[in-house]
Amino acid sequence: MTDLSSRFRLDGRKALVTGASRGLGPIICEVLAAAGADIVAVARNEADLQPVCKIAAHHERKCLQLTADLAQAESVTHVARQALAEWGAIDVLVNNAGVSFPRSLIDQSVEEWDLIQAVNLRAPWLLARELAPAMIAQKRGKIINISSQTSSVALIDHGAYAASKNGLNGLTKVMTAEWAIHNIQANAICPTIVWTPMGARVWSEGDKLKPFLARMPAGRVATPEEIADVVLFLATQASDMVNGQELFVDGGYTAL
């Protein structure tokens, strides 16, 4: 058995994180960098990525800033090829970027529906499609898809979002079926409400959060660090036998 601490390290690994500048993105990048990974930070605005790269530098890790519009297929494939051209194989892919436009099923527009599916579902597939061949060649890789509790539990006004996350979970399982033989692990993390700035903005309105917490065994929402720590576990050697799973980080909500 290898040294326990080394099984939770990422020294010499390269991790590409989408949605790196907001929400869960910065803390995921920080946790991975602290564990020894160099970071390919992807977001729409390069200026927003500068703080992320400062964090990586603090941990003495490299940081490559790349911009992409994940709603555009050509932009997604281009950013993946940029990363490969700059750094060769990417060891860890974290599909973190996501969008949502809360609407009832009747009020959701086709344009919003298509945008949600493009960013939340198509972009993860395209990135994995571009990066997997190099993972296969080196016989090692980790794909971590940030899904949602709404992939299992219905949430009013989130039909398009839930559909995209259900699709992402299914995609994760097929990635496992096709690539596990090459020592590639693909898993989906399904968080409950996370107290990011966006989460706080949405759920701080009035008593909106109270009914949710009333049936939450843990009695609280998640912190960004709690999700990032699960990302770290799935990115390391310690999780090599965890594959094709939907990991609900939800304080027990879906257990009831």
Side-chain angles (χ1 to χ4, degrees), residues 7 24 26-27 31 39 41 45 59 76 84 104-106 120 137-138 165 171 218 224 226 236:
R7 292 175 59 78
L24 292 171
I27 187 63
V31 167
I39 305 297
N45 189 324
H59 293 285
V76 177
L84 291 172
S104 72
L105 291 172
I106 291 175
N120 297 4
Q138 69 179 9
K165 296 303 186 178
L171 177 65
E226 289 172 318
T236 66

Side-chain angles (χ1 to χ4, degrees), residues 10-74:
L10 293 170
D11 300 293
R13 301 289 195 261
K14 300 174 180 65
L16 187 151
V17 181
T18 65
S21 65
R22 298 181 182 179
L24 292 171
I27 187 63
I28 289 174
C29 291
E30 180 172 8
V31 167
L32 296 179
D38 294 322
I39 305 297
V40 181
V42 179
R44 293 191 62 168
N45 189 324
E46 186 172 3
D48 292 341
L49 290 170
Q50 293 176 6
V52 176
C53 284
K54 287 182 180 179
I55 290 171
H58 173 75
H59 293 285
E60 300 182 340
R61 306 317 308 163
K62 298 176 184 176
C63 182
L64 177 62
Q65 302 177 51
L66 297 178
T67 59
D69 179 357
L70 299 186
Q72 303 299 320
E74 323 82 61

Side-chain angles (χ1 to χ4, degrees), residues 14 16 40 42 64 66 76-93 126-138:
K14 300 174 180 65
L16 187 151
V40 181
V42 179
L64 177 62
L66 297 178
V76 177
T77 55
H78 178 67
V79 79
R81 291 169 187 175
Q82 277 185 295
L84 291 172
E86 290 280 350
W87 282 5
I90 299 299
D91 303 288
V92 181
L93 167 61
L126 287 171
L127 285 167
R129 188 185 71 171
E130 293 296 320
L131 299 180
M135 293 181 178
I136 291 170
Q138 69 179 9

Side-chain angles (χ1 to χ4, degrees), residues 154-190:
L155 182 61
I156 291 172
D157 293 339
H158 285 74
Y161 183 77
S164 71
K165 296 303 186 178
N166 269 281
L168 186 59
N169 289 359
L171 177 65
T172 301
K173 292 177 181 179
V174 178
M175 288 176 177
T176 297
E178 295 191 3
W179 298 333
I181 194 65
H182 303 290
N183 192 32
I184 295 172
Q185 292 81 46
N187 292 285
I189 298 174
C190 304

Side-chain angles (χ1 to χ4, degrees), residues 11 23 70 72 78 95 103 115 144 157 162 174 195 221 225 235:
D11 300 293
L70 299 186
Q72 303 299 320
H78 178 67
N95 285 309
R103 304 268 193 276
L115 178 58
I144 303 163
D157 293 339
V174 178
W195 215 244
V221 298
E225 290 80 5

